[in-house]
Amino acid sequence: MRLEPLPPDTLGVDVRHVHDEIANLIGRSQSQVTMIDEQGALLGPFPPMLHYPKFGVPALSFIRTLDIHATLEKRVREVAILTIGAAFGARFELYAHEIMAMAFGLPASAIATLAAGGKPHGLNEQETVAHDIAMALARGRVVPDATYQWAVHLLGREGVAELFFLIGGYSFLAMILNGFDMPAPDTIR
């Protein structure tokens, strides 16, 4: 871990406000995931965002926008996020989204396969195309036209656009997590 989590009492007024907003939000939407340590400091991608708020706060705003305007099924989103987390080996992203995928009803076997970088059996058509698109993009490829057209058929143009931005956003988070070597809570030293 290249940055320590920032206890809230060490933060300036503006950054403390951002910290408190994040803490309230994750307490409501991701309470199953440990994202705050015993000192009240945020974990995962949040320490880099708070250490470098001129970059982190706009990034956080984008990630929040992905959630506010989400229309894709939660399982479809989690398949895409786990696919990206595995492609980049982002420990915290995998940790958090394995838990969220389980909460949204993805089978444990599918979660395990996605986290290992594989393509699980038994995904529905929307989940499968989300995985295929996330894999193509994570490999630096253009999404094949047949895959794009199938995704538009299944998800609509707006849904495919949302999926592209979701994949891009979580690829960005994975890079921040990996660049700063941010661990999952059970591996924090």
Side-chain angles (χ1 to χ4, degrees):
M1 185 165 41
R2 296 185 174 121
L3 292 175
E4 292 298 318
L6 296 167
D9 60 353
T10 66
L11 302 173
V13 174
D14 290 342
V15 176
R16 174 64 187 258
H17 175 73
V18 172
H19 171 281
D20 292 348
E21 288 294 314
I22 296 167
N24 289 333
L25 178 65
I26 61 177
R28 289 190 307 269
S29 66
Q30 295 178 321
S31 60
Q32 308 92 320
V33 180
T34 300
M35 296 179 111
I36 300 176
D37 71 10
E38 62 281 346
Q39 297 175 5
L42 293 164
L43 303 173
F46 303 116
M49 292 175 173
L50 297 176
H51 273 278
Y52 302 101
K54 66 183 174 188
F55 305 121
V57 171
L60 181 60
S61 179
F62 172 67
I63 299 301
R64 180 70 181 123
T65 298
L66 292 172
D67 289 336
I68 291 171
H69 298 289
T71 61
L72 295 172
E73 295 289 329
K74 292 184 183 310
R75 285 174 48 139
V76 170
R77 290 172 54 88
E78 292 303 322
V79 166
I81 294 167
L82 285 172
T83 301
I84 292 302
F88 286 99
R91 295 173 295 171
F92 191 91
E93 196 164 279
L94 287 169
Y95 154 75
H97 289 280
E98 287 172 11
I99 293 170
M100 296 310 297
M102 185 71 73
F104 297 137
L106 269 174
S109 62
I111 294 167
T113 300
L114 287 165
K119 183 174 183 176
H121 299 288
L123 296 179
N124 70 32
E125 288 181 311
Q126 290 184 351
E127 295 160 359
T128 298
V129 80
H131 172 76
D132 292 347
I133 287 172
M135 284 302 299
L137 293 173
R139 291 179 178 143
R141 308 265 196 268
V142 173
V143 174
D145 193 53
T147 306
Y148 175 78
Q149 294 302 329
W150 184 239
V152 168
H153 171 75
L154 294 171
L155 305 171
R157 289 195 189 284
E158 290 282 325
V160 174
E162 178 184 338
L163 181 62
F164 290 164
F165 282 101
L166 179 76
I167 290 166
Y170 278 87
S171 296
F172 167 78
L173 285 179
M175 289 179 193
I176 297 304
L177 288 164
N178 286 348
F180 289 104
D181 191 24
M182 302 308 289
D186 61 339
T187 61
I188 292 177
R189 307 180 265 292

